[in-house]
Amino acid sequence: MAKHITIPKKFVTIFIVTFFMSNAMATTLLPPNDIADRFHNDSETIKIASSDFGHIVQEIPAAVFYPNSIDDIASLVKYAYNNSVPINVAARGQAHSTWGQSLARDGVVINMTSLENRLNGSGIIVSSDSSLGSYADVGGEQLWIDVLNTTLQYGLSPVSWVDYLYLTVGGTLSNAGISGQSFRFGPQISNVYELDVITGKGEFVTCSPKEKSELYYAVLGGLGQFGIITRARIALEPAPKRVKWLRLFYSDFSAFTRDQESLISKNERRDNKALNYLEGMLLLNQGPQDLSFYPVSAYARINSLVTKYGIIYCLEAAKYYYDDRESRVEKELLDLLKGNLGFLPDFMFEKDVTYMEFLNRVRSSELFLRSKGQWEVPHPWLNLFVPESRILDFNSGVLKNIILKQNIPAGIVLIYPMNRNKWDDKMSVVIPVEDVFYVVSMLHSSGFNKWEAYDNQNKEILQFCDGAGIKVKPYLGHYETQEDWIKHFGSKWESFRARKALFDPKMILSPGQRIFNNN
Ligand code: FAD
């Protein structure tokens, strides 16, 4: 992010008053003196804060706020709340959202990363006690890569991850935080003991399942609607050393999903024989494949397999090991895989990597895409949770009949199952009601004038599911109207709305989600 220029306090105050007066017609309050110089509005800062990783939605804020402390954030929110015309406020992690969720039109965007250097230079503190065991107290602005690097110094690690580690803790906990570990350890929100939150009234509250639990459950998966997470206490376990990482190819979708579901049925947290990670992805006969995982000698036969079938389903599994006894983990993996797995026998690929290499696996793709200028492009993503009972219909109706037939290069498509019992229904996030459901992530990248083709395809997919009665729930989604959100939340809407009235009664937080401010 570009360095911001310090603007003399006088100009900032004049700017804020002028801006909010022109937009809100009647503004009676000035920001308190102690935070007046934290607002910035130079054109570069505003430009950056007007857009996100999606590069589709643009919303111009009045100012960007660079807090030096948690108290600064509380003062800002109090100021925004008490203003005669309340001011919208959005916490911005890394703005890795794709549909404007971290933006705030005419409001104030909080640049959370400016908190990075608080707590004596570290926003990540590792501790343990007799009731919780090991845990890390982590600032909401921290990146998961930094959490990993710090906890590894203590031989410890969180258990539930996201695929890409340059996301913030506050940002992923506001959604769910899912990856291949979720089937066994639950999403990241299932691994949080306690939170510090600044509510929409500017109140600082510590909450947990036992204390102020309503706020705790509201905030986790709460899309930033109830408060700004300034600290999360994250569960830690001993860190593995290395990882056996497998990819198995299938031409038959039923065999692929049957094997995925069978593998995730072994999911006790303490069962050392269970897999640590399971995902899946498509190899599509559309444009170039990323074959970097595979030996060069296999490229030709992989390409001809994909050409032959149009779609190949790739099951991706990993087993961690904690010492150097590679032979034992080999045996455990063989025990898990032996028997009736239906993958194509000549298409099993294996790697042995460090734990860090495994968790940080997306970074090399990011750096590659950045070097080609293909990272900062539109990302018309569609992420869906699909009920297990309809996943075969989803394959034929969406993967084969829409994505494969339309033949616009699909980018990365992930597909893997999760166990509902690893999620806590008291939290705000909405998932299908079945015991097992799939996440299907269509992670498109497009040219700047070409994202509409993907958006149209996304709409067609949603229409197909609606018409076929496949009750999908978007993850990281966006809607045009509040009616759509009400439908999304279903039976949870009433409690979501009531919690909003309790914790953010003037509806100023995270307006970019367009749940309560969608005009
Ligand atoms: P932002 O986009 O900045 O914010 C997201 C929302 O949370 C906004 O509404 C914002 O106002 C609010 N918010 C931000 N910080 C806070 C806070 N401290 N307190 C309260 N509200 C806050 N997601 C997964 O679950 N699994 C994945 O594997 C995964 N992989 C990804 C890979 C890439 C390359 C990208 C770009 C995204 C991926 N995501 C994944 C999505 C990611 O979880 C979301 O983009 C999420 O929003 C986190 O991004 P962020 O930290 O930049 O948050």
Side-chain angles (χ1 to χ4, degrees):
M1 181 165 282
K3 276 213 163 87
H4 56 276
I5 307 150
T6 308
I7 303 167
K9 195 186 280 186
K10 188 176 75 180
F11 295 126
V12 174
T13 308
I14 292 168
F15 155 73
I16 293 166
V17 175
T18 318
F19 191 93
F20 290 133
M21 280 194 74
S22 59
N23 282 278
M25 299 307 283
T27 300
T28 51
L29 280 178
L30 289 180
N33 271 342
D34 55 339
I35 58 164
D37 64 355
R38 314 280 196 271
F39 294 87
H40 294 255
N41 72 323
D42 58 282
S43 56
E44 187 56 22
T45 302
I46 293 291
K47 187 173 161 215
I48 291 169
S50 302
S51 183
D52 62 11
F53 184 75
H55 291 292
I56 293 169
V57 179
Q58 201 191 28
E59 299 283 12
I60 299 170
V64 179
F65 186 77
Y66 287 79
N68 283 345
S69 66
I70 307 297
D71 287 346
D72 283 357
I73 299 180
S75 300
L76 167 72
V77 179
K78 271 189 197 127
Y79 161 64
Y81 175 78
N82 287 319
N83 209 51
S84 60
V85 177
I87 300 165
N88 284 338
V89 175
R92 176 184 173 98
Q94 292 289 302
H96 275 120
S97 307
T98 49
W99 293 100
Q101 291 94 330
S102 58
L103 311 182
R105 191 200 321 160
D106 299 339
V108 177
V109 169
I110 306 178
N111 183 330
M112 294 297 288
T113 49
S114 72
L115 280 176
E116 256 169 334
N117 293 327
R118 70 199 170 89
L119 295 175
N120 299 326
S122 166
I124 305 165
I125 297 174
V126 175
S127 321
S128 66
D129 66 33
S130 54
S131 65
L132 298 179
S134 301
Y135 55 82
D137 284 307
V138 179
E141 75 288 354
Q142 295 292 320
L143 301 181
W144 285 102
I145 182 70
D146 296 325
V147 178
L148 179 61
N149 276 321
T150 305
T151 57
L152 282 182
Q153 288 168 22
Y154 297 80
L156 297 166
S157 166
V159 291
S160 182
W161 288 99
V162 274
D163 292 342
Y164 171 64
L165 303 186
Y166 293 76
L167 305 170
T168 66
V169 168
T172 71
L173 295 183
S174 298
N175 288 296
I178 54 169
S179 183
Q181 297 85 3
S182 304
F183 80 90
R184 183 166 162 204
F185 299 97
Q188 292 183 315
I189 50 174
S190 296
N191 294 280
V192 176
Y193 294 130
E194 188 178 276
L195 296 167
D196 286 341
V197 174
I198 293 168
T199 69
K201 296 179 193 168
E203 294 163 345
F204 177 92
V205 182
T206 299
C207 56
S208 70
K210 291 199 176 127
E211 300 286 330
K212 311 271 173 44
S213 61
E214 188 75 18
L215 181 60
Y216 169 86
Y217 291 119
V219 165
L220 292 170
L223 307 175
Q225 295 303 301
F226 310 103
I228 296 170
I229 300 169
T230 56
R231 177 185 63 97
R233 179 164 288 183
I234 312 277
L236 300 178
E237 295 282 351
K241 282 221 166 94
R242 297 191 66 84
V243 178
K244 280 274 168 218
W245 183 8
L246 289 182
R247 288 192 181 174
L248 315 172
F249 285 10
Y250 294 73
S251 55
D252 175 7
F253 187 72
S254 343
F256 167 71
T257 50
R258 187 193 60 224
D259 288 357
Q260 283 190 321
E261 287 172 36
S262 149
L263 288 167
I264 68 154
S265 66
K266 208 174 176 53
N267 59 50
E268 287 303 316
R269 276 178 96 99
R270 299 277 159 216
D271 182 353
N272 292 332
K273 298 226 160 87
L275 283 178
N276 297 93
Y277 165 101
L278 180 130
E279 285 199 6
M281 69 197 76
L282 305 187
L283 279 84
L284 286 159
N285 190 21
Q286 294 175 345
Q289 311 281 347
D290 175 5
L291 298 181
S292 53
F293 181 89
Y294 310 97
V296 176
S297 57
Y299 285 9
R301 67 193 176 94
I302 293 175
N303 281 326
S304 65
L305 189 77
V306 177
T307 308
K308 180 173 170 195
Y309 290 101
I311 303 187
I312 288 297
Y313 307 96
C314 168
L315 186 155
E316 183 175 59
K319 185 102 185 82
Y320 303 158
Y321 57 111
Y322 293 78
D323 47 30
D324 295 325
R325 291 165 67 186
E326 190 179 345
S327 56
R328 190 176 67 192
V329 83
E330 289 271 12
K331 186 179 171 316
E332 282 171 5
L333 254 182
L334 280 179
D335 285 349
L336 269 171
L337 301 181
K338 79 177 172 210
N340 297 323
L341 291 201
F343 62 93
L344 299 165
D346 295 334
F347 290 91
M348 169 168 164
F349 302 94
E350 184 182 322
K351 269 190 177 181
D352 187 300
V353 294
T354 64
Y355 183 56
M356 173 59 93
E357 282 166 337
F358 177 70
L359 289 182
N360 203 18
R361 60 197 174 278
V362 175
R363 179 65 164 172
S364 54
S365 307
E366 177 200 341
L367 296 176
F368 175 77
L369 291 171
R370 278 190 192 280
S371 74
K372 302 271 170 212
Q374 289 169 9
W375 184 254
E376 302 287 341
V377 295
H379 294 101
W381 286 8
L382 179 64
N383 291 275
L384 297 174
F385 292 139
V386 183
E388 184 270 344
S389 65
R390 303 301 304 276
I391 197 67
L392 298 184
D393 300 326
F394 190 89
N395 177 51
S396 53
V398 173
L399 303 183
K400 289 197 160 158
N401 261 342
I402 298 180
I403 294 187
L404 193 59
K405 267 198 188 148
Q406 288 188 356
N407 203 20
I408 42 178
I412 297 165
V413 181
L414 304 178
I415 174 162
Y416 58 97
M418 319 223 168
N419 293 304
R420 192 175 209 280
N421 65 0
K422 304 287 176 179
W423 296 62
D424 189 332
D425 203 35
K426 293 195 281 301
M427 293 175 186
S428 293
V429 65
V430 181
I431 56 176
V433 285
E434 296 186 6
D435 290 347
V436 172
F437 62 92
Y438 278 77
V439 55
V440 183
S441 296
M442 290 160 263
L443 308 177
H444 310 296
S445 303
S446 81
F448 275 91
N449 297 319
K450 296 195 179 140
W451 63 267
E452 284 94 346
Y454 291 96
D455 196 37
N456 289 338
Q457 187 182 76
N458 293 344
K459 286 182 180 136
E460 190 178 337
I461 291 170
L462 291 171
Q463 271 163 13
F464 166 79
C465 291
D466 202 28
I470 305 177
K471 294 190 172 15
V472 296
K473 290 289 176 196
Y475 175 58
L476 310 168
H478 70 115
Y479 291 106
E480 296 300 319
T481 66
Q482 193 174 67
E483 284 65 41
D484 289 332
W485 277 111
I486 293 173
K487 201 168 148 206
H488 171 84
F489 282 105
S491 59
K492 279 190 164 179
W493 171 252
E494 264 320 303
S495 70
F496 196 85
R497 198 195 48 74
R499 285 167 167 177
K500 184 73 172 174
L502 206 55
F503 302 120
D504 180 21
K506 293 191 182 167
M507 301 183 185
I508 58 176
L509 295 179
S510 288
Q513 300 279 1
R514 298 165 67 91
I515 303 174
F516 296 97
N517 339 45
N518 51 359
N519 47 12

